[in-house]
């Protein structure tokens, strides 16, 4: 699925699913407590594991290819 967002800051307390994403446009910064910020730009991919807490900063018009992985997969 393609996810699209305008600029935003989102605090995630407990990500309920595993996600694999590839950035199609825009930028995203992931901030985890006690860790260095991770920057993602066009072409970058990441696995966001279930339970992940943090702050996601979406910069610009952002689009990503999103694969949601359920426990049965």
């Amino acid at each position: 699925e393609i996810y699209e967002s305008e600029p935003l800051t989102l605090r995630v307390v407990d990500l309920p699913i595993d996600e694999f994403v590839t950035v199609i446009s825009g930028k995203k910064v992931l901030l985890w407590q006690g860790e260095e910020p991770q920057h993602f730009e066009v072409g970058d991919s990441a696995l966001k594991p279930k339970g992940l807490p943090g702050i996601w900063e979406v910069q610009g018009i952002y689009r990503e290819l999103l694969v949601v992985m359920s426990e049965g997969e």
Side-chain angles (χ1 to χ4, degrees):
E1 132 182 18
I2 301 294
Y3 169 79
E4 183 169 317
S5 174
E6 294 185 4
L8 65 82
T9 299
L10 178 65
R11 178 178 299 276
V12 177
V13 176
D14 186 9
L15 187 66
I17 52 171
D18 291 318
E19 294 181 350
F20 179 80
V21 301
T22 298
V23 179
I24 298 171
S25 65
K27 296 179 183 180
K28 181 185 266 185
V29 179
L30 300 181
L31 306 162
W32 289 284
Q33 187 174 7
E35 300 288 331
E36 290 292 317
Q38 292 188 328
H39 300 262
F40 297 91
E41 298 183 1
V42 174
D44 291 340
S45 296
L47 174 64
K48 297 186 283 188
K50 182 177 179 178
L52 177 75
I55 298 172
W56 305 350
E57 294 179 355
V58 173
Q59 302 171 349
I61 302 300
Y62 178 80
R63 296 179 75 211
E64 68 184 15
L65 174 63
L66 171 65
V67 178
V68 175
M69 295 172 277
S70 67
E71 290 187 32
E73 297 179 320

